[in-house]
Amino acid sequence: MQAVVFDMDGTLTDSEQEWDVVRRGLAEADRLAWPEEATKAMMGMSTPEWSAYLVETVGLFGSAEEVARRTIDAMADAYREGRIPVLHGAVDAVNRMAEIAPLAVASSSPRVLIEAGLGLLGVRDKVAVVVSTEEVARGKPHPDGFLAACDALRVDPAATLAIEDSTNGLKSALAAGMRVVAVPPRFHPPAPDVLARAHAVIDDLDALTVDLVQSLFT
């Protein structure tokens, strides 16, 4: 194994529900009904993708850029106000993995929110590379973000481990050719057929042990 790449939202921080609360709040403010499929559809999308979805599919008022800014500002407020919990075992898991391999984060969040999340965890110094999918051509489920992280670390994706929670995130890491550990969340767990393709499935990050990781590469 040459490196470990973590997702952020839903994997290290329990932020997926807050994203949903913020987006639904924007729709409610514009007096719009929330489409049943919208929450799952946007998981893993890059900022340009989900902001366009909110305008074109949900019907939010304003341009995609304006909707993105309203959403990101509200999420930044949530971090500042301490409304984003750290997931159980996240800090220890990052520290364990940092002892055996270089680390990266490949997330669909904008960089400002990734940095806020790493600051909340207190592990910014452990992470060598940060890639936001708004900085690559396509968001998850496409592999672009994970491949960019591997490229920045100068490692082979096939010799790199991805830690993910969502359907689109798992698809993204698998499409990049990585070994994948899934940590299914309570909030919108991944599709069973996609979860079955993960190389390991764990209940929480306490189970992301050195022995488990090494076993996936033998």
Side-chain angles (χ1 to χ4, degrees):
M1 186 184 69
Q2 296 177 2
V4 178
V5 184
F6 285 91
D7 172 51
M8 173 64 74
D9 296 287
T11 299
L12 296 176
T13 59
D14 196 7
S15 51
E16 292 285 15
Q17 187 164 351
E18 189 66 27
W19 277 102
D20 196 50
V21 168
V22 166
R23 288 164 171 160
R24 287 174 183 264
L26 295 178
E28 185 178 356
D30 288 349
R31 298 185 179 182
L32 297 167
W34 187 254
E36 183 179 349
E37 72 283 357
T39 297
K40 283 191 176 182
M42 284 185 287
M43 284 185 174
M45 285 185 180
S46 67
T47 301
E49 290 168 337
W50 60 251
S51 58
Y53 184 96
L54 286 171
V55 171
E56 297 167 8
T57 302
V58 180
L60 262 61
F61 302 156
S63 68
E65 291 78 11
E66 291 166 341
V67 167
R69 179 48 49 202
R70 290 163 62 196
T71 308
I72 293 166
D73 286 349
M75 286 299 297
D77 287 343
Y79 273 104
R80 282 191 294 269
E81 295 166 8
R83 301 202 310 269
I84 307 293
V86 172
L87 282 167
H88 175 75
V91 175
D92 288 342
V94 171
N95 287 326
R96 277 196 304 276
M97 294 301 100
E99 291 177 359
I100 61 172
L103 303 186
V105 167
S107 170
S108 299
S109 280
R111 180 172 285 267
V112 64
L113 297 184
I114 300 173
E115 296 290 352
L118 292 173
L120 178 67
L121 290 156
V123 297
R124 184 62 185 89
D125 61 322
K126 305 289 186 182
V127 177
V129 168
V130 168
V131 176
S132 166
T133 53
E134 66 180 5
E135 300 165 354
V136 295
R138 302 173 298 176
K140 302 173 184 179
H142 301 288
D144 302 33
F146 280 114
L147 292 176
C150 291
D151 185 60
L153 289 170
R154 298 184 179 179
V155 295
D156 179 359
T160 303
L161 181 67
I163 317 298
E164 264 289 359
D165 70 298
S166 69
T167 297
N168 283 344
L170 293 169
K171 286 181 176 180
S172 175
L174 290 164
M178 304 166 78
R179 300 293 173 94
V180 183
V181 171
V183 193
R186 297 184 305 276
F187 181 77
H188 287 287
D193 60 321
V194 178
L195 188 62
R197 296 169 56 200
H199 298 89
V201 180
I202 58 178
D203 291 333
D204 61 40
L205 288 169
D206 280 344
L208 186 67
T209 63
V210 172
D211 287 345
L212 171 65
V213 169
Q214 291 177 340
S215 74
L216 299 177
F217 290 87
T218 57

